[in-house]
Amino acid sequence: MDTRIVDHPAFRLVGHAARVPLIHQGVNPHIQQHITALPTEEHLRLKALGNAEPSGLLAVSDDLDPDYTEGSELTYLHGVAVSPDTPVPGGLDIIEVPAGRWVVIRDAGPYPQTLQKTWATAAAEWFPSNPWRLRPGPEIVAVLEPTNGFSTAARELWLPVEPA
């Protein structure tokens, strides 16, 4: 797996949030509906607002069930990362993210299959063989190089970690 550990200062995730059920395999239609309901100009406005790592439009999952039970609810945010002092326009949801460590896992391939396989491999192989465990915080997917209308892409999966 292509991984790196990152010490990251505090930042905020801003965008449009919705409560959706966790779906383990395939496209989550609730998330897809949430994103497609946003006008094109809103995606551009968000991209222009982003000024922190991870960069670009982000898919954020927060308030996840600790056991990742399928069907449990999570907060999904379609947005960007900004520095703590960035003014945020009204009407946007904000997730405050404290400073901490992250494992950043890079993958590429068809969406969502490759991303779901990457997460499963991290849980089954990477975490058991490395001195890290998940800590509370959002899970973030940054799309680095989209192609074919986002059906294939290079991505980074940011997972909050602490020493095991």
Side-chain angles (χ1 to χ4, degrees):
M1 294 185 83
D2 182 1
T3 63
R4 70 184 194 278
I5 300 294
V6 175
D7 284 312
H8 201 289
F11 64 102
R12 293 187 291 172
L13 296 163
V14 299
H16 297 278
R19 292 293 287 173
V20 299
L22 176 62
I23 296 176
H24 289 171
Q25 292 188 356
V27 173
N28 185 320
H30 308 278
I31 292 174
Q32 188 175 35
Q33 180 182 12
H34 175 66
I35 294 169
T36 57
L38 298 172
T40 302
E41 55 273 7
E42 187 59 12
H43 301 283
L44 298 173
R45 179 175 86 124
L46 287 171
K47 280 183 83 167
L49 182 63
N51 65 4
E53 286 283 314
S55 60
L57 287 174
L58 307 173
V60 179
S61 298
D62 197 22
D63 299 324
L64 288 143
D65 174 70
D67 294 325
Y68 292 85
T69 305
E70 184 147 13
S72 62
E73 284 200 338
L74 61 100
T75 298
Y76 175 83
L77 181 123
H78 178 74
V80 294
V82 299
S83 63
D85 59 347
T86 300
V88 177
L92 295 178
D93 298 296
I94 300 172
I95 298 172
E96 299 286 344
V97 184
R101 286 194 176 129
W102 300 77
V103 60
V104 180
I105 306 168
R106 189 179 173 107
D107 75 12
Y111 177 82
Q113 300 87 350
T114 303
L115 178 61
Q116 290 166 343
K117 182 179 178 187
T118 297
W119 211 126
T121 302
E125 297 174 19
W126 190 86
F127 279 101
S129 63
N130 285 279
W132 302 97
R133 66 176 174 229
L134 286 174
R135 64 175 168 83
E139 297 178 3
I140 304 168
V141 176
V143 178
L144 305 175
E145 300 164 16
T147 58
N148 301 330
F150 288 93
S151 63
T152 303
R155 290 167 295 275
E156 287 184 340
L157 173 60
W158 289 61
L159 299 173
V161 294
E162 62 189 6

